[in-house]
């Protein structure tokens, strides 16, 4: 007679993966809802009805709510997974989300921006381009071994960035001076990587220990 199979409780890593998968699934559906919302030409009656449905669903997200400066338990901060980042977070209804990978002397991000990110008709809002670059430049600092925060960001818009087109964002550390880190970045399309649509240079600063403790008390030693 075979012995009954023993069910083992999930490990902490398995529980974390399960929670992240659920967050990402909800984020995906929320992005689909946002896209449908900004595209629809439905009459006012239908929109009022949908507003009521969304209100009802929002009411189902009960329980404790995260505080303003609280780091989510599903995140790795700094330099790791940020589930609700408005740029890279798979759980964010605002994010594309951008996928970030190492690339030679820096990091590269891949994403496609939709109608919800529109500025001029058919093209990306300039502020979104700056946000993509700022985010990826921060990743470049971390990849270089120095987590840091933005002090200045200068962007130059050479050509409009098209919506619903696969984009490539690149950033690299160009130099350092004490705690200052100088970073360069650019946005192009995946199809025409050599044509830079938006370029930027930025200064980041690695906060000293006292400042880091004040800004991020949850991650203080």
């Amino acid at each position: 007679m075979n012995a009954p199979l023993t069910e083992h409780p999930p490990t902490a890593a398995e529980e974390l993966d399960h929670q992240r998968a659920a967050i990402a699934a909800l984020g995906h559906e929320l992005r689909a809802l946002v896209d449908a919302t900004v595209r629809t030409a439905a009459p006012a009656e239908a929109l009022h009805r949908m507003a009521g449905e969304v209100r009802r669903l929002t009411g189902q997200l009960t329980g404790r709510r995260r505080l303003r400066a609280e780091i989510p338990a599903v995140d790795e901060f700094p330099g790791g997974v940020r589930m609700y980042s408005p740029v890279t977070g798979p759980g964010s209804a605002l994010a594309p989300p951008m996928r970030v990978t190492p690339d030679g002397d820096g990091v590269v991000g891949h994403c496609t921006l939709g109608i919800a990110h529109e500025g001029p008709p058919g093209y990306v809002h300039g502020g979104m381009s700056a946000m993509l670059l700022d985010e990826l430049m921060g990743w470049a600092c971390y990849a270089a071994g120095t987590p840091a925060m933005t002090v200045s960001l200068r962007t130059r818009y050479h050509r409009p960035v098209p919506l619903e087109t696969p984009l490539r964002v690149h950033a690299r550390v160009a130099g350092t001076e004490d705690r200052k880190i100088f970073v360069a970045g650019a946005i192009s399309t995946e199809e025409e990587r050599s044509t830079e649509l938006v370029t930027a240079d930025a200064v980041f600063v690695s906060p000293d220990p006292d400042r880091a403790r004040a800004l991020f008390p949850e991650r203080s030693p």
Side-chain angles (χ1 to χ4, degrees):
M1 183 176 180
N2 294 329
L5 294 175
T6 302
E7 292 187 4
H8 297 283
T11 65
E14 289 172 337
E15 290 182 348
L16 178 60
D17 288 343
H18 182 67
Q19 184 70 13
R20 284 176 174 171
I23 291 169
L26 178 57
H28 175 79
E29 297 304 330
L30 289 174
R31 288 188 292 274
L33 176 61
V34 169
D35 184 72
T37 299
V38 298
R39 290 176 181 271
T40 187
E45 294 78 8
L47 297 178
H48 281 302
R49 185 166 59 251
M50 282 300 301
E53 288 296 311
V54 172
R55 190 179 306 114
R56 180 182 63 81
L57 291 173
T58 301
Q60 294 185 32
L61 292 174
T62 58
R64 181 180 175 277
R65 292 179 180 267
R66 180 163 56 96
L67 301 176
R68 180 183 67 85
E70 183 179 350
I71 299 170
V74 292
D75 279 8
E76 298 171 1
F77 178 83
V81 176
R82 300 294 304 280
M83 291 300 295
Y84 301 107
S85 162
V87 179
T88 61
S92 171
L94 306 176
M98 183 166 65
R99 296 175 291 105
V100 181
T101 56
D103 182 72
D105 62 345
V107 290
V108 64
H110 305 274
C111 66
T112 300
L113 297 178
I115 302 298
H117 305 113
E118 187 175 56
Y123 296 99
V124 173
H125 191 290
M128 286 301 306
S129 296
M131 187 164 70
L132 294 181
L133 286 162
D134 180 54
E135 175 78 7
L136 200 64
M137 287 172 158
W139 278 77
C141 291
Y142 186 81
T146 313
M149 301 178 69
T150 318
V151 172
S152 68
L153 174 67
R154 182 176 62 175
T155 55
R156 291 170 295 280
Y157 299 88
H158 307 287
R159 300 184 183 186
V161 178
L163 293 170
E164 300 182 328
T165 302
L167 302 176
R168 183 179 189 273
V169 189
H170 185 267
R172 65 178 181 85
V173 172
T176 61
E177 180 184 308
D178 296 326
R179 291 190 295 112
K180 290 183 179 180
I181 306 167
F182 304 96
V183 191
I187 298 175
S188 62
T189 65
E190 289 281 12
E191 186 175 359
E192 298 183 33
R193 295 186 177 187
S194 62
T195 302
E196 296 180 337
L197 307 176
V198 183
T199 57
D201 55 77
V203 179
F204 282 67
V205 168
S206 178
D208 61 43
D210 289 340
R211 183 60 172 161
R213 280 191 291 269
L215 290 170
F216 312 113
E218 285 192 43
R219 286 297 182 265
S220 300

